[in-house]
Amino acid sequence: MAGVPASQLSKDTQDELLCTYAALVLHDDGADVDPGAMTNMIKAAGCSVEAYWPPLMAKMVKSIGMDSLIAMGSGGGGGGGG
């Protein structure tokens, strides 16, 4: 996805990425990852998302835990041959 300009992503994918980045920043800052804080951060960046995204993301973070989500996304792909 890093090789694709954001303008070429679907609106849903852009919204998901904005919420993901907001959640990561809040977590890194030691703040609660809640819908209001995420929405405020997204608005401060001059962006907007569909209203259902921040609560959905915050619920996932609360249920699974940000550290677990980060670990899931870190890949860790085993090396190929050599």
Side-chain angles (χ1 to χ4, degrees):
M1 200 170 333
V4 178
S7 61
Q8 292 182 5
L9 299 174
S10 70
K11 174 66 172 143
D12 279 342
T13 301
Q14 290 178 19
D15 288 0
E16 184 178 359
L17 283 172
L18 283 164
C19 288
T20 299
Y21 296 149
L24 286 167
V25 169
L26 289 167
H27 174 73
D28 190 53
D29 198 38
D32 288 334
V33 179
D34 64 56
M38 291 174 65
T39 300
N40 290 340
M41 182 169 290
I42 291 165
K43 285 181 180 178
C47 300
S48 64
V49 297
E50 294 291 335
Y52 66 87
W53 276 109
L56 183 67
M57 184 70 70
K59 183 177 180 181
M60 181 175 63
V61 169
K62 185 174 182 169
S63 297
I64 298 172
M66 190 57 125
D67 291 329
S68 295
L69 289 168
I70 292 169
M72 285 181 211
S74 68

